[in-house]
Amino acid sequence: MNQKLMNNNPSNTLLNIAIEAALMAGHEILAVYESGDFSVEAKADGSPLTRADKLAHAKIAAKLEKTGVPILSEEGRTIPFAERAAWGRLWIVDPLDGTKEFISCNGEFTVNIALVENGTPVLGIIYVPDLHELFYGVVDQGALKVEGANGFDNIGELLATAILLPLKHDATTYRVAVSRSHMNERTISFIDSLREEHPGLEIMQLGSSLKFCMAASGEADIYPRFGPTMEWDTAAGHAIALAAGKRMEKADDEGEITYNKENLLNPYFIVR
């Protein structure tokens, strides 16, 4: 199956369909971003929802529904577990990850699409619309990055420019990626413990799933998350990190982080 997913035939692979969906969603998001008309609403949990979230969700759903694989999305989270439990394979999607960053206009927002099989992410795509950067990976096949991803006429040309991850970087500086919006005491304490071994460490504060991208690319050495995340926040980044040879561990106990659980809230984790 993975060999098929990494096939660069632009017409008929799950990878290419998902990349196309992410790019289409990114186009919609940027149009709203540049218009300044966000039409912000409050969801039931108090988090913000914008016109861009809705438009991106519609584009992704229309594209992925053609694959026949069911979709679990942040904007469609109400599907009962009794129904989801029968899904051996599913897409997990966050149409606009980092809505707070989107509203604050700092560019640190992403489109996240993952393919999950039997609770494990096997394929991930993260698109950064404001930077036109695309990260994607298939577990056991590799992770890659495309710059200027909006500038190609077809997926085949786009994938031909992809750069294999992780990239080389300055190994003398230890870098920690952390959330821009969710820094807390436990994260600070964990960073302080890292300083004992890496006294000159640098902190990279980033929004959305960009922290996964930095870990997968090697631009960050570690990404600790001691705060709440949902499955759609992490599935794509988890797949890309695994494809790049990284690990995503539970922070408080052993065992793998799994998906399509009855409770869609993730445990705390560390990527390295």
Side-chain angles (χ1 to χ4, degrees), residues 42 63 73 96 121 230 234 247:
K63 193 74 176 177
S73 169
L96 176 53
M230 304 300 289
T234 64
R247 306 188 311 277

Side-chain angles (χ1 to χ4, degrees), residues 18 40 48 128 136 161 185 207 221 224 246 255 263:
V40 182
V128 191
Y136 67 95
T161 71
E185 290 185 7
D221 295 280
K246 307 295 182 176
N263 182 351

Side-chain angles (χ1 to χ4, degrees), residues 18-207:
I19 288 174
E20 289 175 354
L23 294 176
M24 290 167 63
H27 179 77
E28 294 291 335
I29 290 167
L30 273 187
V32 175
Y33 190 63
E34 292 168 357
S35 76
D37 179 16
F38 299 165
S39 301
V40 182
E41 305 171 16
K43 291 187 277 192
D45 62 1
S47 59
L49 176 72
T50 71
R51 188 162 61 95
D53 292 85
K54 296 178 180 179
L55 291 170
H57 171 75
K59 286 291 185 181
I60 293 171
K63 193 74 176 177
L64 296 187
E65 283 171 356
K66 297 176 182 178
T67 67
V69 177
I71 303 167
L72 174 62
S73 169
E74 180 176 12
E75 308 314 327
R77 66 172 82 188
T78 57
I79 301 168
F81 179 66
E83 178 181 344
R84 291 192 286 107
W87 297 353
R89 175 196 274 188
L90 72 154
W91 297 107
I92 297 185
V93 174
D94 191 344
L96 176 53
D97 184 29
T99 301
K100 291 180 181 178
E101 314 302 336
F102 177 84
I103 294 169
S104 66
C105 298
N106 68 10
E108 294 178 359
F109 49 87
T110 60
V111 178
N112 301 346
I113 300 177
L115 183 67
V116 169
E117 293 187 344
N118 301 316
T120 301
V122 296
L123 177 154
I125 295 121
I126 294 176
Y127 181 49
V128 191
D130 194 50
L131 299 177
H132 305 299
E133 291 181 346
L134 176 73
F135 296 81
Y136 67 95
V138 176
V139 177
D140 295 329
Q141 293 291 315
L144 301 102
K145 175 184 178 181
V146 176
E147 297 180 349
N150 65 324
F152 295 90
D153 293 329
N154 61 68
I155 295 296
E157 290 179 3
L158 181 150
L159 298 184
T161 71
I163 304 167
L164 188 65
L165 301 178
L167 308 170
K168 292 182 179 179
H169 75 287
D170 179 8
T172 62
T173 303
Y174 192 83
R175 297 182 175 89
V176 185
V178 296
S179 172
R180 184 178 296 284
S181 302
H182 300 94
M183 196 71 157
N184 56 28
E185 290 185 7
R186 182 167 177 184
T187 307
I188 293 169
S189 177
F190 181 79
I191 293 171
D192 287 342
S193 70
L194 291 175
R195 280 199 176 94
E196 296 177 7
E197 185 177 353
H198 308 282
L201 68 76
E202 294 182 1
I203 297 174
M204 306 170 67
Q205 286 191 279
L206 297 161

